[in-house]
Amino acid sequence: FLGRAITFFKKQDVGEFYIETGELHKGEKVTIAGPTTGFLQVIVEDMRVDNKPVDTAKKGENVTFKVPERIRKNDKLFVIRNV
């Protein structure tokens, strides 16, 4: 578990998430899950913090990246890592 969805920007197909634990790195595969949204898998190809491109988003930051379809507030963000 990394964080929660804050909002969805419909025109750009971009989701904004608050990182509650750990870090999110560019190129990682994430799952977005929620009761209405279901499960979406996304590879984070480009992400922004404070509207600036970054390679890593850290705990306490709001990060935005493209998502394939609508997400809802409080959907959960999980990262999928090979251990």
Side-chain angles (χ1 to χ4, degrees):
F1 174 78
L2 271 183
R4 297 184 189 279
I6 297 171
T7 192
F8 175 70
F9 299 99
K10 191 175 184 176
K11 289 186 180 180
Q12 295 92 3
D13 289 331
V14 167
E16 182 177 9
F17 299 86
Y18 177 72
I19 304 297
E20 294 181 23
T21 62
E23 295 181 344
L24 176 63
H25 303 279
K26 188 174 172 181
E28 286 189 312
K29 186 186 243 184
V30 296
T31 296
I32 302 162
T36 304
T37 305
F39 291 90
L40 298 176
Q41 287 198 339
V42 180
I43 295 176
V44 180
E45 295 174 359
D46 179 45
M47 62 182 179
R48 295 175 177 265
V49 173
D50 294 329
N51 216 18
K52 296 178 185 136
V54 294
D55 291 330
T56 303
K58 300 176 178 92
K59 178 180 177 180
E61 293 181 329
N62 287 358
V63 61
T64 58
F65 56 87
K66 280 203 168 283
V67 291
E69 58 188 70
R70 180 189 164 100
I71 59 165
R72 278 87 180 168
K73 184 176 181 178
N74 291 323
D75 282 356
K76 291 179 173 56
L77 177 68
F78 299 91
V79 67
I80 301 168
R81 292 186 178 128
N82 293 329
V83 186

